[in-house]
Amino acid sequence: MRDTKESRLLLVLLVAIAFALITVDIRGGEESPVDGARQAAAAVFGPVENGVAAAVDPVGNAIGAVRDSGERHDRIAVLERENAALKARLGSDDRNRSRLRQLDGMLKKAATGQYGIKGAEVIGIGAAQGFSWTVTIDAGSRDGIQRDMTVLNGDGLVGRVTTVGPGTSTVLLANDPDFTVGTRMERTDELGFATGQGDRPLSVQLLNGKAKVRKGDRLVTFGSQGDKPFVPGVPVGEVVRVDPAGGALTRNIYVRPYAAFTKLDIVGVVVQAPRTDPRDTVLPAKPKPTPTPTVTVTVTPSANGEGQAQGEDQTGDQTRDQTQDQAQDQAQGGDQAQDQDQDQNQGQGDPQATSTAAVTGRDDE
């Protein structure tokens, strides 16, 4: 359609008519004169709109689904990241709690023994130092660490410092075959030397071949000259096996160490020795024996037992009654027998009188 003066005039006229109809419809409200035309238009164009909507809706739904799927994917990704962060946080919290327990136990040991310690973390194991049982800690000369210092944790003796760097140190563990420490037994004060045997119990050679040792006895460090490399009173372990004496000058026993050398984390280096020997005060408290439970048996008579007892009582009463009746019958029988005897005696006396009377009558005759 070309843009002419007539077409523009027609467009203006249609717009004016549309505005007039809208004004009339608004002012008429529910009784609008245009309502009939609206209903007629709805009846004519309604099916067409439904058909168009049915054809267009799947496309719109697909577009909405794609848009929503992208949003859901983003939300899932966010939730997965949050879950991963939460799991990492929980794992970190568990580890932190474990480390806090280790640190707390170590500080309690140090406080009991009056040891001045420098806390450190195990950051490496013995691969860098060869095949020996060693660990690397994150404390060195800048932290006051020196060679031949005692290393312990919350369980007991860990080892001694052998090499010191500016920020790290190497610790020879107590289960290394080259490790030897002087020991003292808790109960008898017997002295000896403990040597590491790798993943087996420590081998302790007692100086007294006749020493009385039993399974479960506990040992602590005896201490060294000048408190290096070992301070006194650090728990070592407890006896698990005792070799026979055999008449030798020394005696061998085997001790399970308190420290778990395969899972070390927080340790303490003793930088200041105690003023006095703590003796056995640093040893863990002995577990209290579990009392043997007392079993109490209560016998309750059953209904059958009561009935049987009652039956026995009734039978006994009947027996006693029968016995009494028999006794009475026997007594009555005895009385009757006595009466019969008396009657017989009287009867025997009467014939004598009769015969006397007969003799007298003959005499009279």
Side-chain angles (χ1 to χ4, degrees):
M1 184 177 180
R2 290 180 298 176
D3 186 11
T4 61
K5 185 177 180 180
E6 292 80 4
S7 62
R8 279 184 282 178
L9 182 61
L10 179 60
L11 178 61
V12 171
L13 182 60
L14 291 174
V15 171
I17 293 171
F19 274 107
L21 292 174
I22 292 173
T23 303
V24 171
D25 186 28
I26 294 174
R27 289 182 177 181
E30 295 180 358
E31 298 180 355
S32 173
V34 189
D35 189 45
R38 184 186 297 112
Q39 292 178 359
V44 174
F45 295 105
V48 178
E49 291 176 351
N50 289 334
V52 174
V56 175
D57 281 346
V59 179
N61 293 335
I63 295 173
V66 171
R67 183 177 62 254
D68 294 341
S69 65
E71 294 177 356
R72 285 195 296 268
H73 179 73
D74 294 340
R75 290 182 62 189
I76 291 173
V78 171
L79 292 175
E80 288 178 350
R81 288 194 296 269
E82 291 178 354
N83 289 337
L86 181 60
K87 289 180 180 178
R89 181 179 177 183
L90 290 175
S92 177
D93 289 344
D94 291 340
R95 187 185 177 199
N96 289 336
R97 283 193 291 268
S98 175
R99 300 180 73 184
L100 285 174
R101 286 194 297 268
Q102 296 180 40
L103 180 60
D104 184 64
M106 183 179 67
L107 293 177
K108 288 181 179 179
K109 282 279 193 296
T112 303
Q114 298 299 313
Y115 305 125
I117 64 171
K118 174 66 179 180
E121 180 182 357
V122 175
I123 58 175
I125 55 176
Q129 293 83 22
F131 295 99
S132 59
W133 289 77
T134 60
V135 295
T136 302
I137 60 176
D138 62 348
S141 58
R142 290 196 297 261
D143 304 294
I145 308 301
Q146 299 178 5
R147 179 183 172 89
D148 287 336
M149 283 185 169
T150 306
V151 182
L152 51 81
N153 66 359
D155 298 321
L157 179 67
V158 171
R160 62 181 176 88
V161 178
T162 56
T163 305
V164 181
T168 61
S169 301
T170 301
V171 178
L172 183 68
L173 300 180
N175 63 335
D176 188 272
D178 292 334
F179 185 95
T180 301
V181 58
T183 61
R184 180 179 58 80
M185 193 165 293
E186 172 193 16
R187 185 171 55 88
T188 60
D189 287 339
E190 295 288 350
L191 302 181
F193 293 96
T195 303
Q197 297 191 110
D199 54 358
R200 293 180 295 169
L202 305 178
S203 175
V204 179
Q205 188 178 52
L206 296 179
L207 301 182
N208 182 7
K210 298 180 180 179
K212 295 181 180 180
V213 187
R214 60 189 181 187
K215 185 177 179 180
D217 286 345
R218 304 187 295 179
L219 290 81
V220 298
T221 56
F222 178 68
S224 305
Q225 183 71 28
D227 298 319
K228 286 189 176 182
F230 302 109
V231 294
V234 179
V236 176
E238 62 180 41
V239 177
V240 293
R241 183 162 65 89
V242 180
D243 283 349
L249 296 178
T250 60
R251 190 173 189 182
N252 293 331
I253 61 176
Y254 299 91
V255 174
R256 181 179 66 248
Y258 286 122
F261 302 111
T262 58
K263 51 181 181 180
L264 294 172
D265 190 5
I266 303 298
V267 298
V269 182
V270 181
V271 295
Q272 183 178 357
R275 295 181 179 179
T276 58
D277 186 352
R279 303 289 294 176
D280 304 326
T281 58
V282 190
L283 282 169
K286 290 184 177 181
K288 296 181 180 180
T290 304
T292 304
T294 303
V295 179
T296 303
V297 179
T298 304
V299 179
T300 303
S302 62
N304 295 332
E306 293 177 356
Q308 183 177 1
Q310 292 177 358
E312 291 177 353
D313 294 339
Q314 293 177 358
T315 304
D317 295 338
Q318 293 176 357
T319 304
R320 286 193 293 272
D321 294 340
Q322 292 177 357
T323 304
Q324 293 177 357
D325 293 340
Q326 292 176 358
Q328 292 177 359
D329 293 340
Q330 290 178 359
Q332 292 177 358
D335 295 337
Q336 292 177 357
Q338 292 178 358
D339 294 338
Q340 291 177 358
D341 292 338
Q342 293 178 357
D343 294 339
Q344 291 178 359
N345 292 331
Q346 292 176 358
Q348 291 176 359
D350 293 339
Q352 292 178 357
T354 305
S355 59
T356 305
V359 171
T360 306
R362 284 196 296 269
D363 292 338
D364 294 334
E365 293 178 352

